[in-house]
Amino acid sequence: MAKAEKKQALGRGLSALLKDPTNDIKSVEDKGADKVVGNIIELELDAIEINPFQPRSNFNEETLKELAISIKELGVIQPITVRKLDFNKFQLISGERRLRASKLAGLETIPAYIRLANDNESLVMALVENIQRHDLDPIEVALSYQRLIDEINLTQEELSDRVGKKRSTITNYLRLLKLDPIIQTGMRDGFISMGHGRALISIEDDEVQSDIYHKVVSQNLSVRETEALVKKYQDSLKPQAVKATTKSFEVADTDQKAFTGFFGAKVDVKVASNGKGKITIPFQSEEDFNRILKLINN
């Protein structure tokens, strides 16, 4: 978790910058604004107000409690986004569930992206520049892509043009955000690669996904081994073809005698355990063979 701790320390340093009343940042032209735009900053929960125009009003209490437990264990993996209103006052743009769960978890601060009224293009430039770095983990890249889509209202096609990446590449990164938070954390900490994550995404059952993830980490499985494990699980969900079973039977003596009487020869009838069998009709000469053949043709 060294990487996460480093980011939190950086966020705390920047939060001090926002609390300097003599250099209050109100626009992208202000001193220190370049350090705010595109960075994660630790904000006090009490300084953030809910957006009154938030369309979502109902939140499932049970899932909020589950998220709060996750946050207690792992921290807030995906920062919220806020708009700076006034000195040390912010309004939530996105991430209300994370904000509410953080309060339930008893946190005092939360990592947040700060938006200013006129920072739109600066934010795009900062995020695009950030994505080009080589030391980002896959989840960091995915979060940057998602921010550009959500906050700048870009389509994946437009995002593809902005960052110079294929749309399929962007889609693959974005899908990583559907993984369980524990698995996302494992990817950020280097326990698994993006290839592992892409294999695990295809499992819809969160519990099974988590079980396989722990097996991958504990056994140090390769991406190919992980894909094989996932395929084995998916194959187990397919309906198994039911083999038709045929019961065997016994040939009655009367039936045996009927064959013998009809052909004028001792006919041998054998039945196997699966119900299949064969009938053997002996003949003594060509004349006898023709006699039997005549009986069959009639």
Side-chain angles (χ1 to χ4, degrees):
M1 288 288 187
K3 186 181 291 185
E5 290 171 359
K6 183 179 179 182
K7 287 178 182 174
Q8 289 177 355
L10 177 63
R12 285 194 290 271
L14 290 173
S15 66
L17 178 65
L18 287 173
K19 290 183 178 180
D20 180 5
T22 59
N23 294 293
D24 190 21
I25 299 170
K26 297 180 180 179
S27 73
V28 292
E29 285 81 22
D30 291 342
K31 179 182 178 181
D34 58 324
K35 297 179 181 178
V36 172
V37 176
N39 282 297
I40 302 173
I41 299 176
E42 286 286 330
L43 291 182
E44 295 175 354
L45 292 174
D46 293 340
I48 305 169
E49 68 174 39
I50 302 298
N51 189 334
F53 302 106
Q54 160 68 268
R56 183 177 183 182
S57 58
N58 296 320
F59 293 85
N60 185 292
E61 289 298 324
E62 191 61 35
T63 56
L64 274 179
K65 289 177 182 178
E66 291 175 358
L67 181 57
I69 293 172
S70 174
I71 286 174
K72 273 186 177 180
E73 181 181 354
L74 304 170
V76 180
I77 296 174
Q78 184 173 354
I80 63 172
T81 302
V82 299
R83 178 185 294 110
K84 191 173 186 298
L85 296 178
D86 204 345
F87 177 67
N88 203 33
K89 288 185 179 180
F90 306 87
Q91 185 181 81
L92 184 71
I93 294 177
S94 64
E96 187 168 349
R97 285 187 72 251
R98 278 162 277 158
L99 182 66
R100 289 173 178 265
S102 295
K103 290 180 179 179
L104 280 177
L107 301 187
E108 295 183 357
T109 64
I110 187 171
Y113 292 112
I114 311 297
R115 294 295 308 274
L116 301 175
N118 59 346
D119 74 344
N120 195 58
E121 194 57 37
S122 296
L123 177 63
V124 173
M125 292 172 62
L127 284 175
V128 171
E129 182 180 352
N130 191 51
I131 291 170
Q132 307 304 328
R133 288 165 48 197
H134 297 293
D135 60 340
L136 295 182
D137 62 63
I139 298 300
E140 288 175 314
V141 174
L143 289 173
S144 295
Y145 286 155
Q146 192 64 56
R147 285 193 67 202
L148 284 166
I149 289 173
D150 292 343
E151 298 174 37
I152 316 300
N153 295 320
L154 295 179
T155 64
Q156 288 193 23
E157 283 292 346
E158 291 169 336
L159 178 58
S160 174
D161 293 335
R162 286 287 189 115
V163 301
K165 300 287 184 181
K166 292 181 180 178
R167 182 177 177 180
S168 58
T169 300
I170 292 171
T171 300
N172 286 333
Y173 274 103
L174 292 174
R175 291 181 68 225
L176 297 176
L177 299 180
K178 296 180 181 179
L179 288 168
D180 184 278
I182 292 178
I183 300 176
Q184 290 187 42
T185 302
M187 194 177 300
R188 301 193 73 166
D189 291 340
F191 293 123
I192 61 171
S193 68
M194 182 176 177
H196 290 99
R198 288 181 61 185
L200 292 169
I201 287 172
S202 58
I203 299 177
E204 296 182 358
D205 189 311
D206 291 341
E207 188 174 339
V208 175
Q209 187 184 88
S210 181
D211 288 343
I212 293 181
Y213 163 71
H214 287 297
K215 185 175 291 186
V216 169
V217 174
S218 62
Q219 298 180 16
N220 195 28
L221 299 182
S222 66
V223 172
R224 182 167 294 182
E225 290 170 328
T226 302
E227 291 171 342
L229 203 59
V230 170
K231 186 178 184 302
K232 182 179 179 181
Y233 165 72
Q234 291 174 329
D235 288 344
S236 71
L237 299 179
K238 296 177 182 178
Q240 301 296 316
V242 180
K243 294 182 179 180
T245 55
T246 306
K247 293 183 178 180
S248 185
F249 62 95
E250 293 184 1
V251 178
D253 290 341
T254 53
D255 294 331
Q256 184 92 30
K257 289 178 181 178
F259 275 114
T260 298
F262 179 77
F263 289 107
K266 189 176 181 180
V267 177
D268 184 29
V269 181
K270 290 184 177 180
V271 182
S273 58
N274 60 1
K276 297 180 180 180
K278 63 180 179 179
I279 299 173
T280 305
I281 307 172
F283 56 87
Q284 305 301 322
S285 61
E286 182 180 357
E287 182 182 356
D288 195 22
F289 172 79
N290 290 330
R291 177 186 66 80
I292 294 172
L293 186 61
K294 187 177 180 179
L295 287 171
I296 294 174
N297 289 332
N298 289 338

